[in-house]
Amino acid sequence: MAKDKIAFVCSNCGQESAKWIGKCPNCGQWNTFKEFRIAADTGSQAARNAATTLRNAASGGSVSALANKPQRLRDISSHDDPRIDMHDGELNRVLGGGLVPGSIVLLGGEPGIGKSTLTLQTILHMTQRVLYVSGEESPHQIKMRAERISKDIAENIIILSETSLEHIFEHIRDVQPELVVIDSIQTISTEDVDSSPGSITQVRECASALLRFAKTSGVPVILIGHINKEGSIAGPKILEHIVDTVIQFEGDQHYMYRILRSIKNRFGSTSELGIYEMEQQGLREVSNPSELLLTEDHEGLSGVAISSTIEGARPFLVETQALVSSAAYGTPQRSATGFDQRRLNMLLAVLEKRVGFKLMQKDVFLNIAGGLRVTDMAMDLSVIAAVLSSNVDTPIEQGWCMCGEVGLSGEVRPVSRIEQRIAEAEKLGFSHIIIPKYNLSGLTGKYNIQLHPVRKVEEALRALFG
């Protein structure tokens, strides 16, 4: 019998130590090391047994324990394995084209944002045998949600309400699924660790055992995880290092839009974005978000500017709203929703220093409509235009949109994928678009939308307000 192991783990970053330390050498936090007793490693053995059973069933015989052998790099095949179609265009885009066999995916988000709903409605359209393990809900609750989402429920979905990792691997050997869903990883515990479910060591050990199972069996695993108050996935950062892909489901519960964003992806781009609309029957894919984000008529209203942005590989138009008013208190307020606060302060400084508008004694409030959070630098020009429009109380004419990054000296810097931005604005019926002058040389096609190339912020504001 192997002896129990005593380990000290940092509750902030997951750093291990053989003895207690006052200050963590990895993250620098004080008094974060907690003592844990780790029993014999039976969870790893259960994962290996379950993976061996599935490999034997797939191959029709026994598989050697040394199936993996060293290979020369030039002899390794470079073709991609066929991905599993999730029957969801937005989810396939964020994953990089589908789910990779043998991968482990972590889906994070706030409680009640729709993680379980998204996962359940996805597997209801799949043809593979799926084992859905729930540690939070009973099978009856899952059935009620499934009936609300879809009327036709196939026989390939198997529901298991279990929190013990060892029992889960026993059921995996019996069921032999082609996809495993764990909802959620914070509720699963292993007998190897003498601590409560959701603790740092429990989350890490369970995720490591599921990773070994996925890599040795070729069966993909989807983990659902909660996020903490800081907005990061609950548990140490090591959980995000273990998995292959981390996707985060985010959005404001007061809005009907939800955004699926890739944070880490070993099999695709991390800049992809999926947009959903929350409905009574579940989540609906939004194939053209620009039309939904620009549904309201703002003719005659000041402080509104339209920007052509790109998130991942898809362009869409975003409405920027600004409100500038005299400071009622001593210190002017600066508030931004859906936009970087520090970048807003920088743009206001550029507007005051380079253009000459005095905003030092005024409150500035900025909002990106629809509850979106956009990180594209091409939003700079629309932010400045919206702020100035509100400051002088003059609306921007209908049919105008813009894109461009603003530098510290007031110049309008070039942006990427300018042709896609222009085409999206033209498709939605805009007649004028302001673009950086440096992007004009790279344009090859002819457009029905009038282009206004500018070099400085003053030229853009002169084109908008005369």
Side-chain angles (χ1 to χ4, degrees):
M1 293 291 292
K3 291 184 178 180
D4 291 353
K5 176 186 174 184
I6 299 296
F8 293 87
V9 182
C10 175
S11 59
N12 185 56
C13 66
Q15 174 77 16
E16 279 192 10
S17 174
K19 60 181 181 179
W20 186 86
I21 305 176
K23 181 181 179 181
C24 178
N26 186 38
C27 64
Q29 298 294 318
W30 287 87
N31 297 326
T32 55
F33 275 88
K34 302 291 190 302
E35 178 182 349
F36 293 99
R37 184 180 300 274
I38 303 176
D41 193 7
T42 58
S44 300
Q45 186 60 41
R48 285 191 288 269
N49 293 340
T52 302
T53 301
L54 293 179
R55 285 190 299 169
N56 291 344
S59 61
S62 61
V63 179
S64 171
L66 297 177
N68 294 328
K69 297 180 180 179
Q71 303 179 63
R72 290 186 177 91
L73 179 60
R74 64 180 183 181
D75 297 336
I76 299 175
S77 175
S78 60
H79 71 276
D80 295 332
D81 293 331
R83 295 184 181 240
I84 300 174
D85 184 13
M86 306 300 289
H87 299 278
D88 186 323
E90 299 295 301
L91 183 57
N92 281 336
R93 178 189 292 109
V94 175
L95 290 174
L99 189 62
V100 176
S103 64
I104 181 166
V105 178
L106 177 61
L107 172 62
E110 296 179 354
I113 201 68
K115 304 183 297 297
S116 301
T117 302
L118 174 64
T119 307
L120 186 59
Q121 79 173 28
T122 300
I123 63 176
L124 285 174
H125 295 94
M126 299 178 66
T127 57
Q128 290 83 1
R129 189 186 303 110
V130 181
L131 177 61
Y132 188 97
V133 181
S134 176
E136 301 178 341
E137 298 176 304
S138 65
H140 179 67
Q141 290 175 298
I142 300 173
K143 178 65 180 295
M144 291 174 59
R145 181 189 291 124
E147 289 179 343
R148 190 182 77 243
I149 296 174
S150 176
K151 300 300 181 183
D152 300 326
I153 300 178
E155 298 181 355
N156 62 314
I157 310 299
I158 301 169
I159 305 298
L160 172 64
S161 183
E162 182 61 67
T163 59
S164 172
L165 183 66
E166 288 73 21
H167 293 167
I168 291 173
F169 283 130
E170 291 179 5
H171 290 290
I172 288 176
R173 287 199 298 269
D174 298 335
V175 175
Q176 296 185 5
E178 298 171 87
L179 172 64
V180 177
V181 179
I182 305 293
D183 184 11
S184 67
I185 186 61
Q186 279 84 13
T187 62
I188 306 301
S189 62
T190 174
E191 299 173 358
D192 298 350
V193 180
D194 186 17
S195 61
S196 59
S199 64
I200 295 173
T201 314
Q202 284 284 11
V203 170
R204 184 188 57 185
E205 292 300 322
C206 292
S208 299
L210 290 167
L211 174 67
R212 284 189 288 269
F213 162 75
K215 296 303 180 184
T216 53
S217 66
V219 176
V221 177
I222 297 178
L223 306 178
I224 298 178
H226 301 300
I227 65 174
N228 52 27
K229 292 184 294 184
E230 288 76 22
S232 58
I233 295 175
K237 273 290 184 181
I238 196 171
L239 179 60
E240 299 182 22
H241 299 320
I242 289 174
V243 300
D244 296 315
T245 304
V246 179
I247 53 180
Q248 189 153 324
F249 206 39
E250 57 189 40
D252 194 332
Q253 294 187 3
H254 301 290
Y255 290 92
M256 56 185 172
Y257 304 118
R258 300 289 186 269
I259 297 176
L260 192 65
R261 195 185 301 271
S262 176
I263 301 176
K264 168 190 175 182
N265 194 351
R266 289 174 178 163
F267 309 109
S269 172
T270 57
S271 59
E272 289 297 343
L273 196 73
I275 301 180
Y276 294 87
E277 182 181 6
M278 178 65 77
E279 296 180 343
Q280 185 67 27
Q281 292 77 24
L283 294 160
R284 183 183 69 85
E285 302 175 41
V286 178
S287 57
N288 189 4
S290 299
E291 294 182 354
L292 288 177
L293 297 173
L294 301 176
T295 52
E296 297 185 15
D297 185 11
H298 293 283
E299 185 176 1
L301 299 179
S302 63
V304 178
I306 308 299
S307 177
S308 181
T309 68
I310 284 186
E311 286 289 327
R314 62 193 304 185
F316 55 92
L317 301 187
V318 177
E319 178 184 310
T320 307
Q321 301 173 345
L323 175 63
V324 179
S325 61
S326 299
Y329 305 100
T331 304
Q333 301 182 60
R334 302 286 189 261
S335 176
T337 303
F339 192 76
D340 187 9
Q341 174 84 44
R342 293 172 297 181
R343 191 154 190 87
L344 172 63
N345 294 334
M346 184 269 288
L347 294 175
L348 293 179
V350 170
L351 195 58
E352 183 164 342
K353 177 75 174 179
R354 303 298 181 185
V355 187
F357 287 91
K358 303 301 180 182
L359 302 173
M360 188 179 302
Q361 299 300 324
K362 294 188 177 182
D363 295 336
V364 180
F365 304 95
L366 186 73
N367 178 50
I368 306 300
L372 297 179
R373 179 166 185 82
V374 184
T375 58
D376 190 4
M377 296 294 185
M379 290 280 297
D380 292 353
L381 206 55
S382 66
V383 170
I384 285 183
V387 169
L388 184 58
S389 172
S390 178
N391 184 46
V392 300
D393 199 18
T394 301
I396 298 175
E397 293 183 9
Q398 289 282 92
W400 282 76
C401 67
M402 61 207 74
C403 61
E405 179 185 352
V406 176
L408 292 178
S409 59
E411 81 278 13
V412 180
R413 302 176 61 84
V415 295
S416 61
R417 301 181 183 178
I418 187 65
E419 294 185 352
Q420 290 180 262
R421 301 175 192 268
I422 297 174
E424 181 72 11
E426 182 181 357
K427 183 177 68 174
L428 292 175
F430 284 81
S431 55
H432 301 270
I433 182 171
I434 299 176
I435 63 173
K437 189 174 183 179
Y438 298 101
N439 283 122
L440 196 61
S441 59
L443 297 178
T444 55
K446 294 184 178 181
Y447 304 97
N448 295 324
I449 184 173
Q450 187 173 352
L451 306 180
H452 298 268
V454 296
R455 288 182 59 249
K456 296 182 179 181
V457 174
E458 297 97 312
E459 299 177 17
L461 298 179
R462 195 177 302 116
L464 288 172
F465 303 104

